[in-house]
Structures are given as structure tokens and as C-alpha cells.
């Protein structure tokens, strides 16, 4: 009797297993990421009788990110204009936070894929492109008349597209063009009003930075004069000030033409020692390692931090709030202070924030993919560019003295937060003037100075794509090195490991397979240059 | 009422006369069909949500790619397990998980028992109710909120705790960045949050003790302490053992949320546990197979622990889960 019951139970389990196979097992509908779906091409350029791109029965799911400083709002006018112009049923699904995790969960099953994804960085694209998650752009140029026109008429397009190549040699990530990225760059900023009040000299090198920090600490004992956040991440921005192109991760040394890992450089040790001295003497926030952004904002807003390295857009953010009580409150960009090494510079790494853009997902359905391409192509059209850059005249912008200006509300809410201009999913081809109009003149003036402080080359680490085997080596080696280094840097920084052990630490990194990882980057980089 | 029941079970009463001893499964099923019907939803739940997903553990032996699907992904044998044991962090993760679990059991397990015993002695009913209600409130806060509260209280810039430390002559410091405080913060916040709620089950067990036992003990001249030692504690021992066994069955599962929220680069030395490691490499890193491999490993070890402790408990205390 027991046996029979067992048999019944086993049977039920087996049956249910068969009935509920994991999703995505169907082999018949697999379209390789690189192949062009053929159907739907004939109608792809056709415009609906209504003048819209899609007929009413078309449904498209678009996933976009959301920035903490201008979170997605479904009432944004720009999105409404976009939807009006496109027709059909365009559904925007914002991912409000934890982008990497949520994308990873989404990518775990093909059935959940949206039609189009707006990837805020190339890492996201590269990670899933090799799995076949996206559809190649170059194989589908026939569906992209506007994009093709942009390619043919823009001389820089070739360079833009080259930086978008994924590990298998295909391009999946649509390039963004016309964005004034300097506003998103991290730079040294200082409180000009406080410096003038106490007649302090603007620091030219790191020794002067230290000295002025000490002075401010004396004047304001409760403050953290050099008020940085984000733990050890900032060392990346300081790298070039001590050695050209140096980062706190893998980087390409354009001076010596080879790949390297910042942490093992003697110059990095000097930078780190200096930064630790700042911390030990109370110039940096005591909870630098764990401070959340809100905590940091409170410090800066309450005159407890005077020099820091952060996004340039912080100028507008802090000034607009602080000037209500203190009209003198002025944040200004500070030319990077020179490091204390023989080959020090006064430069900063070039920002990578241009690496956003749409990707078409490989949903496996030809008509869906064709519509997805139509969607993205629209953003390269004149109509698309005009709508996402400015919106509609009289509603979102007005023309004053021949210059377009955004119409703001009574509270002077920035156009970004008010209409969604320049937010994720709404920049592909942008009118540069529109981007500048998002910031105050003061901020733009600073931006124009900052351009001169950037290194000429991007760190290729930001865009270099690895192939499948190289990704495996990275997963085995680089992930471990990174975790190890992060932990150890914190220990050195907090004094839990003496600096005398630094050389051992560098050796430990080598033992974890650093050479092999560097070879991988050399190899992948050489392949891209071909 | 009685008659109708007899009628219903009358069916069973005929069975001996029918002389069916071996193949009476069907009859038994028919007999208990209403009871079985009630079990059915739970049964389906377990099949659907606990047994079928087990199929998925197979991807830990593959290089799984969602777009190639389960059948298209290549098999790689024990590769992911090897990578884990080759990683410099596997021992640290296991050690942290075990120690955190052990310390949690050591400190947080007795807390609700002691609390229940103390509360049991309170004679003022109103006060007792009030204390009980207040004490189990924190249970309803989500972990994120609790961690947020602790962050605020302990923040070196704005937190009141640091102000007290400074007032007493101490120095401001970042408690969250120091590996040695991680376990203390983790466990003490846990005690604060769960003691009241955990005491409910013990209070229920306490209220089941026959009051006549206390009466006769008082007549025999037993002191309060003797009553506690010879009546109260022995009466709730079975509950304690069952709770302990259930707790031990996830020695390697310390709960992901809180460890993750309290974690930063500076305290990884003590805060990196298996679950956060799985999250970082498996989910955030998009390496599903690797994450699954470590997850499976954890479950197997937990199962072993459960068997071992249950066996020990059955031998020495006669209380066990099965």
C-alpha cells in the first residue's frame, strides 16, 4: 500500500515536471542575435495614414532607467509628445533603482524581454550581448533610414560607432550624439565665498590642498574641509593628477602604450598615502567609507565641507537651495591640483557618460523586432530630435531673441524634472543647445573651463568588449581581484593593516592572476584596433 | 450529532467484514477524501513552488545562458563548484556565515525565552499586555527600516549615540566601517526586533502549564526559583527544543537582507556571508549558474545539519522533528 502511494506521488511529480519545463526552452523560435529578421521590412518605412509611425494595434514595451536626481515621472510632457508622434501603444517601464540587479533578473528569461531597452552604460549591453539578448544594428540598416542618414552625414559617427562594438564584433548599442556630457563630469569644486571670506589661496598642488584643508579645519573645527563621499571610488578621478591616465582599476596607459592596473603603481601608493593622511587628520568625513549621499548633502549645505570632488551639476543643486538663506553661497570648479610625483598633471579622466543609448532586444518575434527598430529610428529623425530636445513651442519652450528657452514653472523646477528633457530614454540625437539650456549660465561657464582639464583619451576599459573566453577569465580573476583590493584598501585606509605591508599587498594582487588579466586586455584591445 | 458521525464512519466499520487488508488504499483515500481535499492546496503548493523549481538546480552544472535556454546551454560539470573553492573568499564566507549564525543562536535564541519567563511573572495584567504589545511592534518593521534606524542612531555626524560617546570623552568613529562591530550591530538589532515576537510562542507554552502543579509545589514549600527550575522550564523544554532545531536547520542561512544592507567594503571581513556572495556574483554579476551552485551547496549543508541535530536531539531528549 505504501509502495503504491509512493508510485502515485512520483508519477504526479514527474508529470508536473514535464508540464512545466523551464521557460525559454523552445528551440524552434530562436533567432540568432546577429541575423536579420526578414519579414516586416517592406512596411518598416511606411508611415500610417494618420501620420503616425505605428498603427493602433501595435504595442511596444520600452524599459528605461531612472536617475535619482530626476526620477521618472509618467506625466512628463516630452514622453507624451513622443507617444503622440509615434502612435500605437508605447508602454514605458521605468526601473527606478538597482538597475544591474533588475536587468539581470529580466534577462534571466526571454519571455520577459521588452522590445527596446535604454541602457545607461555599455557594461549592461556587453554583458548580455554575447548571450544573444540583442539584435545587431548593422545587419538591419535597411530598417533604419534616419539612423543611416545620420551616419552618412556626421563625420564623427564612425568613431562613435567603433566605441560601441561588443565582444563578438557586432554593434548593438545605438550611439548617443550631441550631449554636452561635461555637465555630468566629476570635478573638484570649492566654496569660493568661504575662500574669499578668509582670504585663502586656491590650492595648486596636493600639498597646498592639504595646507588649506588644515587651515579650514582650524577655522571650522566641526567641519570636514575636504568633504568627499563614495569611499575609495574617488581615487579614480585623482589618478591622472599623479600619473597620466592612472585609475584605481584596469586602464590603458597611453604614455607607455600598455595596459596596467592602477593599484600596483608606485604613484598610486603615494596618492593613497596622501589621501589617508587627509583622513587621519580629520580633513575627510569620519564616515567616508559608509556615508550615504543625503548625509553628505547635509554636511555641504551646513558649511561643514568646502572642497570636494563631485558632479559639476552639484553647483546648481546646492546653490539654488542654499542661496535662499545665504546669497553668497558659491561653488566653483577648481582646476585639479597637481600631484606630488615627477610626472604629475593637472588633469582629470575623460568622462564616460556618453555611453547611454537604446538597444533592440532579441524577442525572437520578427514583427516585434521590426517595430522596435522603427521606434529607435524615429529618435534619429528631425522630428524626434526636435521633440526630445525641446518639446513643443509655447508649451515647453519659447523663443527669446532667437534663442530657445524652456518655460519653467513658478518654483523654477529644472526642465529635466519638469518635462523629462534629457532623461533616460530621451536622448539619442540631441540639440546641444537644449542640453546647455538645462543648466544655469554659471554652471555652463564652469563646464567650458572644465573641458580643458580633461585627458585627451577615454579609458578604453569603459568601452572595451571581451569575447566569451575572455569574459570567463574576467569572471574568475578580475572579480576576485576587485573584491580583494576593495577590502584591503579599506583596511589600509582605516589603519587595520599597516602601510608597511603595501608591497606584500601588491605581490598578493599579482598572485591572484593579474598578469593573465592584463594579457586579456592587451589582446582584446589589439583586436578592437584592427 | 453523534448519530450522524456514527453513520459517516459506518462505512469504515464494514471494512473488517469485507476482508480487504492489502489493497485498501483506494478505500482509505475515499474514506478520507474531505481531509485529503483540505491538504490538496498545500500539496499543490509544495509541488509547484518547492519541488518543480528544484529542477532549476541543474543549471549549476551548466554554463547557463537564458537565450540558449536550458537545453541549449553547455554542460560544464563541476566547474562552478571548483571556481568557488578556488576563490580566495570561500572560506571567509563560510566562516562568517557559521560564526554569525552561531553567535545569533547564542545571543538571540535565549532572549525571547528569558523575556517570556519574566513577563510570565508579571501579575498586573494591563502592564503585561502593554509590555507585550510594545515589545513585538518592531517585528513589523521591515529590515530596511530597522537598518535605516540604526544608521541614523549611530551616524557620526548626526546620530545621538555618537554624541553620548563624545560627551563621555570618547571619539567619533564610523561604527559601520569597522569589521569588528558588524556582528554586534547585526545581532543586537536582531534581538531588539524579534524578542517580543519570538516570546509569543513561549508565552503560549507557559500558559498551558497546569496551575495545580504550582499550587502543590507551593504547598510543598517550593520557592519561586525552585518552581521555575522544576516546573516551568521542564514544561517548555519541548517547545524550546523544536524551536532550536528549526533554527539550526538554517545555520548557513543567516538571512540575506540585513547582512547586505549593513555591508560595505570596509567590513567585508566579517560581513560577507554566503548569501551576499551569491548575490554579488550570481545575481548582480549575471552569473546565474555560479550563484545556483553556491546556493545548492548551502542547502545541502543545511540539510545535513538538520539531520545531525535532529538525530542528537532524538537520542538525548526524546523530542525531535520526526
Amino acid at each position: 500500500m505504501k509502495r503504491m502511494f509512493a508510485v502515485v506521488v512520483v508519477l504526479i511529480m514527474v508529470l508536473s515536471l514535464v508540464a512545466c519545463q523551464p521557460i525559454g526552452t523552445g528551440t524552434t523560435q530562436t533567432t540568432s542575435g546577429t541575423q536579420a529578421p526578414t519579414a516586416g521590412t517592406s512596411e518598416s518605412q511606411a508611415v500610417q495614414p494618420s501620420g503616425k509611425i505605428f498603427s493602433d494595434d501595435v504595442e511596444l514595451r520600452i524599459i528605461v532607467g531612472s536617475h535619482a536626481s530626476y526620477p521618472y515621472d509618467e506625466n512628463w510632457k516630452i514622453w507624451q509628445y513622443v507617444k503622440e508622434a509615434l502612435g500605437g501603444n508605447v508602454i514605458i517601464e521605468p526601473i527606478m533603482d538597482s538597475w544591474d540587479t533588475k536587468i539581470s533578473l529580466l534577462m534571466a528569461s526571454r519571455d520577459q524581454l521588452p522590445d527596446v531597452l535604454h541602457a545607461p552604460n555599455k557594461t549592461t549591453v556587453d554583458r548580455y550581448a554575447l548571450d544573444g539578448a540583442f539584435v545587431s544594428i548593422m545587419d538591419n540598416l535597411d530598417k533604419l533610414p534616419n539612423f543611416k542618414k545620420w551616419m552618412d552625414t556626421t563625420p564623427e559617427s564612425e568613431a562613435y560607432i567603433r566605441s560601441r562594438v561588443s565582444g563578438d564584433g557586432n554593434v548593438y548599442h545605438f550611439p548617443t550624439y550631441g550631449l554636452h556630457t561635461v555637465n555630468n563630469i566629476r570635478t573638484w569644486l570649492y566654496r569660493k565665498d568661504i575662500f574669499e571670506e578668509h582670504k585663502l589661496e586656491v590650492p595648486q598642488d596636493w600639498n597646498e590642498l592639504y595646507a588649506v584643508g588644515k587651515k579650514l579645519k582650524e577655522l571650522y573645527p566641526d567641519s570636514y574641509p575636504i568633504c568627499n563621499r563614495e569611499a575609495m571610488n574617488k581615487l579614480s578621478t585623482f589618478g591622472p593628477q599623479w600619473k597620466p591616465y592612472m585609475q584605481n582599476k584596469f586602464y590603458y596607459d597611453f604614455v607607455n602604450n600598455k595596459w596596467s592596473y592602477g593599484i600596483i603603481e608606485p604613484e598610486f601608493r603615494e596618492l593613497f598615502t596622501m589621501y589617508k593622511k587627509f583622513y587621519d587628520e580629520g580633513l575627510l568625513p569620519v564616515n567616508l567609507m559608509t556615508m550615504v549621499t543625503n548625509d553628505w548633502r547635509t554636511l555641504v549645505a551646513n558649511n561643514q565641507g568646502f572642497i570636494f570632488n563631485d558632479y559639476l551639476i552639484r553647483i546648481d543643486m546646492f546653490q539654488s537651495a542654499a542661496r535662499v538663506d545665504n546669497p553668497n553661497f558659491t561653488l566653483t570648479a577648481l582646476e585639479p591640483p597637481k600631484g606630488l610625483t615627477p610626472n604629475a598633471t593637472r588633469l582629470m579622466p575623460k568622462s564616460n557618460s556618453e555611453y547611454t543609448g537604446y538597444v533592440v532586444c532579441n524577442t525572437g518575434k520578427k514583427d516585434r523586432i521590426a517595430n522596435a527598430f522603427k521606434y529607435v529610428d524615429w529618435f534619429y529623425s528631425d522630428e524626434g530630435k526636435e521633440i526630445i530636445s525641446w518639446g513643443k513651442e509655447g508649451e515647453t519652450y519659447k523663443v527669446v531673441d532667437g534663442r530657445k528657452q524652456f518655460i519653467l514653472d513658478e518654483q523654477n523646477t529644472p526642465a529635466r524634472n519638469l518635462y523629462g528633457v534629457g532623461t533616460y530614454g530621451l536622448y539619442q540625437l540631441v540639440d546641444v543647445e537644449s542640453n546647455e539650456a538645462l543648466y544655469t549660465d554659471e554652471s555652463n561657464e564652469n563646464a567650458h573651463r572644465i573641458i580643458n582639464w580633461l585627458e585627451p583619451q577615454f579609458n578604453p576599459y569603459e568601452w572595451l568588449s571581451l569575447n566569451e573566453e575572455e569574459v570567463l577569465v574576467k569572471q574568475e580573476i578580475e572579480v576576485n581581484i576587485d573584491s580583494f583590493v576593495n577590502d584591503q584598501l579599506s583596511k589600509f585606509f582605516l589603519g587595520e593593516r599597516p602601510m608597511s605591508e603595501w608591497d606584500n599587498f601588491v605581490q598578493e594582487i599579482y598572485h591572484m592572476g593579474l598578469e593573465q588579466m592584463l594579457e586579456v586586455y592587451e589582446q582584446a584591445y589589439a583586436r578592437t584596433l584592427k | 450529532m453523534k448519530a450522524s458521525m456514527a453513520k459517516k464512519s459506518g462505512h469504515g466499520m464494514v471494512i473488517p467484514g469485507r476482508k480487504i487488508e492489502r489493497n485498501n488504499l483506494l478505500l482509505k483515500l475515499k474514506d478520507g477524501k474531505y481531509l485529503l481535499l483540505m491538504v490538496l492546496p498545500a500539496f499543490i503548493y509544495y509541488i509547484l513552488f518547492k519541488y518543480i523549481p528544484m529542477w532549476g538546480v541543474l543549471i549549476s552544472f551548466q554554463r547557463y545562458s537564458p537565450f540558449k535556454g536550458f537545453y541549449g546551454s553547455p554542460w560544464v560539470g563541476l566547474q562552478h563548484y571548483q571556481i568557488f573553492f578556488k576563490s580566495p573568499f570561500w572560506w571567509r564566507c563560510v566562516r562568517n556565515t557559521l560564526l554569525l549564525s552561531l553567535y545569533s543562536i547564542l545571543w538571540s535564541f535565549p532572549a525571547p525565552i528569558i523575556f517570556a519567563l519574566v513577563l510570565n511573572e508579571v501579575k498586573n495584567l494591563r502592564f503585561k499586555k502593554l509590555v507585550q504589545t510594545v515589545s513585538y511592534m518592531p517585528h513589523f518593521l521591515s529590515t530596511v527600516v530597522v537598518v535605516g534606524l540604526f544608521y541614523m542612531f549611530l551616524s557620526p555626524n548626526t546620530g545621538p549615540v555618537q554624541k553620548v560617546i563624545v560627551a563621555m570623552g570618547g571619539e567619533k568613529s564610523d561604527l559601520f566601517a569597522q569589521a569588528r562591530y558588524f556582528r554586534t550591530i547585526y545581532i543586537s538589532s536582531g534581538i531588539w526586533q524579534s524578542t517580543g515576537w519570538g516570546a509569543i510562542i513561549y508565552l503560549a507554552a507557559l500558559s498551558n502549564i497546569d496551575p495545580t502543579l504550582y499550587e502543590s509545589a507551593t504547598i510543598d514549600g517550593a520557592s519561586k526559583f525552585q518552581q521555575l527550575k522544576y516546573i516551568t522550564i521542564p514544561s517548555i523544554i519541548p517547545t524550546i527544543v523544536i524551536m532550536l532545531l528549526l533554527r539550526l536547520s538554517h545555520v548557513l542561512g543567516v538571512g540575506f537582507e540585513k547582512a547586505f544592507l549593513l555591508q560595505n567594503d570596509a567590513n567585508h571581513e566579517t560581513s560577507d556571508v554566503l548569501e551576499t556572495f551569491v548575490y554579488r556574483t550570481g545575481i548582480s554579476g549575471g552569473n546565474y549558474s555560479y550563484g545556483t551552485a553556491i546556493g545548492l551547496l548551502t542547502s545541502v549543508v543545511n540539510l545535513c545539519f538538520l539531520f545531525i541535530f535532529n538525530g542528537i536531539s532524538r537520542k538525548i531528549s526524546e523530542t525531535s522533528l520526526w
Side-chain angles (χ1 to χ4, degrees):
Chain A
M1 182 210 92
K2 255 191 174 170
R3 252 181 67 202
M4 191 172 159
F5 188 71
V7 168
V8 171
V9 170
V10 169
L11 255 176
I12 294 176
M13 286 201 211
V14 170
L15 280 176
S16 36
L17 277 181
V18 172
C20 308
Q21 279 168 3
I23 310 157
T25 51
T27 44
T28 44
Q29 54 158 336
T30 318
T31 318
S32 149
T34 57
Q35 267 164 18
T38 43
T41 38
S42 54
E43 38 146 32
S44 68
Q45 278 135 48
V47 171
Q48 297 299 314
S50 54
K52 296 184 174 176
I53 308 291
F54 298 117
S55 58
D56 289 345
D57 56 335
V58 173
E59 190 178 290
L60 277 145
R61 275 177 62 221
I62 317 293
I63 288 198
V64 298
S66 171
H67 196 286
S69 302
Y70 18 91
Y72 174 85
D73 179 350
E74 58 178 352
N75 297 319
W76 274 341
K77 281 193 175 164
I78 303 289
W79 270 123
Q80 285 171 11
Y81 302 151
V82 170
K83 287 181 186 172
E84 267 170 37
L86 287 169
N89 185 15
V90 175
I91 303 162
I92 308 297
E93 293 177 15
I95 292 185
M96 304 305 279
D97 52 21
S98 324
W99 172 267
D100 285 339
T101 310
K102 287 189 178 143
I103 287 300
S104 171
L105 293 174
L106 198 74
M107 290 291 162
S109 156
R110 173 182 257 181
D111 292 15
Q112 308 173 61
L113 279 184
D115 294 278
V116 182
L117 177 76
H118 186 265
N121 50 50
K122 185 142 179 289
T123 329
T124 305
V125 181
D126 284 344
R127 185 181 296 157
Y128 302 104
L130 294 180
D131 285 342
F134 309 123
V135 188
S136 153
I137 297 172
M138 293 306 154
D139 296 340
N140 291 285
L141 277 181
D142 54 331
K143 293 191 203 63
L144 296 161
N146 290 311
F147 176 70
K148 194 155 185 316
K149 197 176 125 206
W150 170 77
M151 269 175 70
D152 295 341
T153 53
T154 315
E156 304 100 302
S157 66
E158 205 190 319
Y160 271 76
I161 289 167
R162 198 190 312 131
S163 70
R164 300 293 174 123
V165 178
S166 279
D168 57 0
N170 283 311
V171 182
Y172 301 100
H173 201 193
F174 279 94
T176 306
Y177 183 74
L179 206 59
H180 203 344
T181 51
V182 182
N183 291 78
N184 258 327
I185 215 164
R186 286 160 205 263
T187 173
W188 281 104
L189 296 166
Y190 75 106
R191 278 287 296 279
K192 203 174 174 199
D193 54 324
I194 298 278
F195 269 64
E196 279 167 2
E197 187 185 331
H198 299 287
K199 304 206 167 45
L200 297 171
E201 291 283 327
V202 176
Q204 306 293 319
D205 65 23
W206 277 64
N207 272 334
E208 292 181 28
L209 181 66
Y210 171 74
V212 85
K214 288 295 262 189
K215 192 85 205 269
L216 283 161
K217 183 84 183 174
E218 264 169 45
L219 293 165
Y220 302 88
D222 254 358
S223 73
Y224 303 111
I226 302 173
C227 195
N228 284 334
R229 58 186 182 105
E230 294 188 321
M232 299 285 102
N233 288 356
K234 285 282 151 58
L235 295 176
S236 211
T237 328
F238 307 150
Q241 289 144 46
W242 295 71
K243 182 184 183 182
Y245 295 102
M246 186 170 75
Q247 304 261 294
N248 64 351
K249 52 190 165 194
F250 286 93
Y251 74 97
Y252 188 73
D253 181 343
F254 284 95
V255 177
N256 298 306
N257 291 320
K258 66 179 181 64
W259 279 84
S260 182
Y261 186 62
I263 316 292
I264 60 166
E265 308 281 2
E267 287 88 348
F268 185 85
R269 183 185 174 161
E270 289 192 44
L271 160 62
F272 185 82
T273 312
M274 188 75 178
Y275 206 50
K276 179 170 156 54
K277 185 164 129 186
F278 285 8
Y279 181 76
D280 290 343
E281 302 190 12
L283 306 185
L284 285 162
V286 60
N287 56 341
L288 174 71
M289 305 303 287
T290 56
M291 188 164 51
V292 289
T293 312
N294 262 341
D295 233 9
W296 171 77
R297 275 182 165 162
T298 316
L299 286 176
V300 176
N302 290 327
N303 291 338
Q304 286 181 287
F306 312 105
I307 311 169
F308 54 87
N309 191 295
D310 220 278
Y311 295 108
L312 181 64
I313 50 168
R314 299 286 181 203
I315 292 182
D316 287 353
M317 206 176 279
F318 279 117
Q319 285 185 174
S320 62
R323 281 187 178 168
V324 178
D325 297 324
N326 176 11
N328 292 327
F329 192 106
T330 305
L331 272 174
T332 305
L334 169 73
E335 187 174 355
K338 202 172 177 185
L340 305 174
T341 46
N343 45 359
T345 73
R346 298 195 70 173
L347 298 175
M348 297 186 293
K350 207 169 176 178
S351 138
N352 62 344
S353 54
E354 264 180 20
Y355 291 106
T356 57
Y358 277 119
V359 272
V360 169
C361 295
N362 182 10
T363 45
K365 308 234 162 52
K366 285 169 186 170
D367 50 338
R368 279 183 70 184
I369 292 174
N371 281 329
F373 274 116
K374 256 200 243 180
Y375 170 86
V376 182
D377 190 57
W378 179 82
F379 283 86
Y380 285 92
S381 70
D382 292 341
E383 185 194 16
K385 181 181 173 182
E386 174 71 13
I387 287 182
I388 61 170
S389 303
W390 292 104
K392 281 185 184 166
E393 184 164 5
E395 288 187 34
T396 52
Y397 77 92
K398 59 188 173 196
V399 181
V400 181
D401 303 332
R403 242 180 100 188
K404 287 177 184 163
Q405 268 181 12
F406 287 108
I407 302 170
L408 300 183
D409 61 1
E410 281 167 15
Q411 291 87 37
N412 261 332
T413 312
R416 255 201 178 127
N417 301 62
L418 193 60
Y419 304 127
V421 195
T423 57
Y424 288 134
L426 290 175
Y427 43 87
Q428 205 57 50
L429 198 58
V430 193
D431 184 351
V432 180
E433 280 177 31
S434 138
N435 200 265
E436 290 212 341
L438 292 175
Y439 306 97
T440 58
D441 289 344
E442 214 174 330
S443 178
N444 282 322
E445 275 162 32
N446 277 300
H448 292 298
R449 285 168 63 215
I450 286 178
I451 290 181
N452 307 313
W453 305 337
L454 298 181
E455 297 196 303
Q457 306 269 8
F458 279 116
N459 179 9
Y461 181 81
E462 307 296 343
W463 54 263
L464 188 69
S465 297
L466 306 180
N467 64 28
E468 211 164 331
E469 280 147 44
E470 291 161 350
V471 167
L472 272 183
V473 180
K474 184 174 168 151
Q475 274 171 5
E476 245 182 86
I477 298 179
E478 192 179 326
V479 172
N480 286 337
I481 291 186
D482 277 349
S483 305
F484 175 73
V485 165
N486 285 340
D487 291 1
Q488 294 302 314
L489 283 185
S490 310
K491 282 190 182 175
F492 279 116
F493 199 72
L494 299 174
E496 284 162 20
R497 195 174 172 186
M499 283 304 286
S500 56
E501 285 184 28
W502 187 271
D503 291 335
N504 291 342
F505 166 53
V506 171
Q507 284 311 310
E508 283 158 15
I509 302 176
Y510 273 106
H511 286 312
M512 293 178 85
L514 182 67
E515 299 278 7
Q516 199 186 340
M517 202 60 228
L518 286 170
E519 258 169 53
V520 163
Y521 282 115
E522 292 286 359
Q523 181 188 319
Y525 188 57
R527 190 178 53 229
T528 324
L529 291 187
K530 265 180 208 164
Chain B
M1 188 61 196
K2 260 192 172 172
S4 73
M5 268 173 77
K7 222 176 179 180
K8 266 187 184 166
S9 54
H11 186 77
M13 288 163 80
V14 200
I15 293 173
R18 277 216 196 153
K19 201 187 159 199
I20 314 162
E21 270 113 25
R22 265 168 287 160
N23 267 343
N24 60 358
L25 174 70
L26 279 180
L27 272 176
K28 262 201 158 176
L29 283 177
K30 203 177 167 192
D31 216 27
K33 60 187 172 211
Y34 296 110
L35 288 176
L36 283 173
L37 209 63
M38 281 194 261
V39 177
L40 194 64
F43 184 70
I44 293 173
Y45 168 83
Y46 271 94
I47 293 289
L48 266 181
F49 295 105
K50 301 284 166 184
Y51 279 88
I52 290 172
M54 275 192 203
W55 183 249
V57 302
L58 286 179
I59 69 167
S60 72
F61 304 102
Q62 289 186 326
R63 191 186 305 150
Y64 178 70
S65 150
F67 300 92
K68 290 177 190 144
F70 185 72
Y71 292 112
S73 300
W75 293 91
V76 294
L78 293 173
Q79 194 193 34
H80 296 293
Y81 296 88
Q82 283 165 355
I83 293 180
F84 178 61
F85 285 113
K86 268 200 282 177
S87 139
F89 303 110
W90 82 271
W91 171 242
R92 186 176 81 178
C93 288
V94 172
R95 182 199 66 201
N96 284 341
T97 315
L98 278 175
L99 281 182
L100 195 60
S101 214
L102 204 73
Y103 290 149
S104 289
I105 294 174
L106 203 65
W107 294 107
S108 2
F109 186 76
I113 303 174
I114 295 166
F115 183 66
L117 289 174
V118 171
L119 208 59
N120 197 40
E121 296 302 321
V122 174
K123 290 290 169 266
N124 185 336
L125 259 183
R126 270 195 157 185
F127 179 69
K128 187 176 166 181
K129 280 258 152 59
L130 181 77
V131 170
Q132 212 186 333
T133 314
V134 169
S135 71
Y136 70 59
M137 280 303 205
H139 171 81
F140 296 102
L141 296 179
S142 89
T143 315
V144 184
V145 176
V146 172
V147 172
L149 283 173
F150 271 70
Y151 258 109
M152 282 197 253
F153 275 110
L154 299 176
S155 156
N157 301 326
T158 50
V161 174
Q162 301 267 0
K163 293 222 166 78
V164 173
I165 292 175
V166 172
M168 287 178 7
E171 252 185 60
K172 271 189 192 176
S173 66
D174 189 0
L175 296 174
F176 291 101
Q178 296 177 45
R180 60 181 177 279
Y181 290 126
F182 169 78
R183 292 193 187 113
T184 314
I185 295 173
Y186 182 98
I187 292 167
S188 56
S189 63
I191 293 176
W192 174 76
Q193 191 180 10
S194 62
T195 297
W197 183 257
I200 291 177
I201 195 157
Y202 298 111
L203 282 169
L206 285 170
S207 68
N208 268 342
I209 303 172
D210 189 347
T212 54
L213 289 174
Y214 291 109
E215 279 167 26
S216 51
T218 321
I219 293 167
D220 288 345
S223 68
K224 268 279 173 212
F225 182 71
Q226 283 168 325
Q227 287 179 24
L228 184 75
K229 190 172 164 192
Y230 295 108
I231 302 172
T232 317
I233 293 183
S235 312
I236 59 168
I237 277 283
T239 316
I240 296 177
V241 172
I242 296 285
M243 295 306 286
L244 189 62
L245 280 176
L246 288 174
R247 179 66 191 77
L248 287 171
S249 71
H250 44 102
V251 166
L252 285 187
V254 287
F256 162 77
E257 277 180 331
K258 202 150 87 186
F260 177 70
L261 290 164
L262 286 170
Q263 192 171 73
N264 55 62
D265 282 345
N267 68 11
H268 271 161
E269 192 58 38
T270 53
S271 70
D272 201 14
V273 294
L274 281 166
E275 275 147 329
T276 53
F277 188 71
V278 168
Y279 174 81
R280 274 213 314 278
T281 54
I283 300 189
S284 288
N287 199 347
Y288 311 106
S289 294
Y290 188 44
T292 312
I294 307 170
L296 181 61
L297 216 58
T298 315
S299 310
V300 170
V301 176
N302 276 335
L303 193 67
C304 294
F305 271 114
L306 182 64
F307 270 96
I308 294 167
F309 290 121
N310 193 56
I312 295 173
S313 165
R314 193 167 37 199
K315 276 237 168 77
I316 59 172
S317 75
E318 289 168 359
T319 311
S320 67
L321 290 172
W322 64 83

